[in-house]
Amino acid sequence: MAQPLENMFNAPRKTTPETLTPQKSTAPNTAPAPTESAVTRRSLRPQRGSVIAPFAGIAAAAVLVTLASFANPAIANAENAAGSTASAGATTAPKVDEHAELLQRTTERADTRAEETVAQATAVLATVKGKVDTAPLISSVASLANYPYLDTTTVQTLTNTAVTVTSQAKAQAAAVDKAAADAAAAAAAQAAADAQAAADAIAAANTPDGARTVAAQMAASQYGWGDDQFQCLDSLWTKESDWNYQAENAGSGAFGIPQSLPGSKMSSIADDWATNAVTQISWGLDYIARGYGTPCAAWGHSQSVNWY
């Protein structure tokens, strides 16, 4: 018959071997004494057919709740640690990706610049060839041509070198071109000056006084005829044309200062025989030297027969 509840709580607890306090034993201590929690768990295990089983279960549940309260902080700490690690991983991962992306962009920029530099250097090489020493530029381009197989730092270094060498080659070629242009300009200026001087000389020689001056100089320098011979020459050509390079004999067709017959004979000296007194003088002095030996001999013949 069931006992009243108050009697059940007041009744002494049944002792079992599990709940007895162990006695000292002379046997060696081979295992540690059970803990209070273990003893409690084991003492509260319900016995078959016991009326206090529901209350023992409640007590056991209380004990478990207590143990859980001690265990929960550890679990919470573990979860927090795991969460922190996950958070740290989530924070670090983008940094790693960002760094890799930065390296990739740097590599792409280095390759693009290297490709452009090789193209520019090759074009410059074609324009400076034969003007400057192209060996440094050729070597630099050859070293950079393998940029797809080189590390980024090496590509950047070789690109900088190629840019410098290309600039130097362009500057050297520009200096050579400028020197050539300056020389050409100087030559052109000299040619223009010479042409102007020649034109001025022709213009001066095409006057009677200018023609006399030119004839005296040529007679002395080319034939060794002095002033005495020039006096005879002056008298002879004054009679023939009065030192007029355009003088023409309407009856015979004789032309120019020496009155060449026909005038086209003077083309043996130059094609400008009809407009250049110097050409006419040059032909006339040669004619006198070959036909009479000296101007005075030619003048003497002219005085005797009225021609020479």
Side-chain angles (χ1 to χ4, degrees):
M1 181 176 181
Q3 300 179 17
L5 289 177
E6 58 272 16
N7 292 337
M8 291 176 60
F9 285 108
N10 294 327
R13 297 180 63 184
K14 181 180 179 180
T15 58
T16 63
E18 289 87 347
T19 59
L20 292 176
T21 301
Q23 302 295 322
K24 282 189 177 182
S25 172
T26 58
N29 188 9
T30 57
T35 62
E36 181 180 355
S37 297
V39 172
T40 303
R41 286 197 298 273
R42 284 196 294 269
S43 64
L44 294 179
R45 184 178 300 159
Q47 300 297 322
R48 189 180 299 270
S50 174
V51 293
I52 64 171
F55 301 99
I58 293 173
V63 172
L64 292 176
V65 171
T66 302
L67 292 176
S69 65
F70 288 103
N72 281 341
I75 295 173
N77 291 337
E79 291 178 350
N80 290 337
S84 298
T85 303
S87 299
T91 303
T92 305
K95 292 183 178 179
V96 172
D97 294 342
E98 182 180 350
H99 181 64
E101 184 179 353
L102 177 60
L103 290 178
Q104 180 64 25
R105 289 199 302 268
T106 300
T107 299
E108 291 175 354
R109 285 196 296 266
D111 288 350
T112 299
R113 183 165 175 256
E115 182 179 7
E116 293 174 350
T117 300
V118 169
Q120 293 172 358
T122 302
V124 170
L125 183 61
T127 61
V128 304
K129 188 176 181 180
K131 299 178 182 179
V132 300
D133 181 11
T134 57
L137 183 56
I138 292 174
S139 176
S140 181
V141 171
S143 299
L144 186 58
N146 293 325
Y147 72 87
Y149 309 101
L150 303 175
D151 62 271
T152 302
T153 300
T154 301
V155 170
Q156 291 171 332
T157 300
L158 292 178
T159 300
N160 292 337
T161 300
V163 168
T164 300
V165 174
T166 301
S167 298
Q168 291 173 347
K170 288 175 64 177
Q172 292 170 358
V176 171
D177 290 342
K178 185 179 184 304
D182 290 345
Q190 185 61 47
D194 293 344
Q196 185 61 46
D200 292 344
I202 291 173
N206 284 350
T207 64
D209 289 340
R212 285 186 176 90
T213 300
V214 171
Q217 292 173 347
M218 293 177 67
S221 63
Q222 295 179 14
Y223 299 96
W225 299 333
D227 290 341
D228 56 337
Q229 293 294 328
F230 179 72
Q231 293 299 325
C232 294
L233 179 65
D234 184 22
S235 299
L236 177 64
W237 283 352
T238 297
K239 175 187 175 182
E240 293 290 332
S241 63
D242 201 20
W243 293 89
N244 181 0
Y245 77 99
Q246 293 177 318
E248 184 175 7
N249 189 312
S252 66
F255 186 85
I257 293 174
Q259 287 293 285
S260 170
L261 183 63
S264 60
K265 286 183 179 180
M266 294 184 289
S267 64
S268 63
I269 300 299
D271 292 336
D272 62 351
W273 57 270
T275 58
N276 190 345
V278 177
T279 299
Q280 296 177 5
I281 293 169
S282 180
W283 181 88
L285 293 177
D286 178 69
Y287 172 77
I288 291 173
R290 288 185 296 103
Y292 301 97
T294 64
C296 288
W299 171 237
H301 185 276
S302 176
Q303 282 181 318
S304 62
V305 297
N306 204 35
W307 57 270
Y308 79 106

